[in-house]
Amino acid sequence: MANMSDYLEAKLLNHLFRGVSFNAPSSLYIALCTDSLSDTDTGASLPEVAGAGYQRQAVPCNASQWSEPDADGTIKNAKEIKWEKVQWEDTVKAIAICDAGPNRNTGNVLFWGDLTKEKVVTADDSISFAEESLSIQIDN
């Protein structure tokens, strides 16, 4: 996943070049999306799963949850991220990493990407990202 939102690009550039304060969130929220996204999407405009009981998965921002960036500028999830026994049905085609959750329509999109293969989810299914399977690369 190498797509960075316009929101995050502006925040980082203002922080690095203009000295404008930018505080990292204490957790990131993984959102499951039913269609591809664009750099202009926000937490409120995501084509996000809307079924009963769906929530974004919170992943704390710390060294036990995320690997150290490698030489290629890639960081990965250090632990499994999982939605268990869901009560909704949908086709997941993309994900977004947001700065707010767990509810839909909140916060800002930071990164986004299409899944390699879409996932059809039915009630009582689980969907997960195994350890080190969700990778974010800035320098590509």
Side-chain angles (χ1 to χ4, degrees), residues 2-115:
N3 300 302
M4 186 182 299
S5 70
D6 289 347
Y7 165 82
L8 184 57
E9 290 170 357
K11 289 291 187 182
L12 290 175
L13 290 170
N14 275 320
H15 179 69
L16 292 172
F17 292 95
R18 299 179 64 222
V20 176
S21 180
F22 177 64
N23 296 317
S26 58
S27 289
L28 297 172
Y29 294 85
I30 313 303
L32 302 176
C33 300
T34 59
D35 207 351
S36 190
L37 288 75
S38 74
D39 288 354
T40 59
D41 274 308
T42 67
S45 69
L46 288 178
E48 197 166 357
V49 168
Y54 166 78
Q55 288 190 321
R56 297 174 183 173
Q57 288 297 318
V59 181
C61 296
N62 62 50
S64 69
Q65 299 292 325
W66 299 97
S67 67
E68 186 171 334
D70 64 20
D72 293 331
T74 301
I75 194 166
K76 296 179 180 179
N77 61 310
K79 295 183 179 178
E80 181 181 44
I81 302 167
K82 188 172 188 174
W83 290 257
E84 292 191 66
K85 292 197 164 232
V86 302
Q87 297 306 305
W88 42 268
E89 297 187 3
D90 224 324
T91 300
V92 179
K93 297 180 180 179
I95 65 165
I97 299 177
C98 301
D99 63 2
N103 298 323
R104 301 173 69 248
N105 300 323
T106 59
N108 302 289
V109 173
L110 305 177
F111 294 96
W112 64 273
D114 294 331
L115 296 180

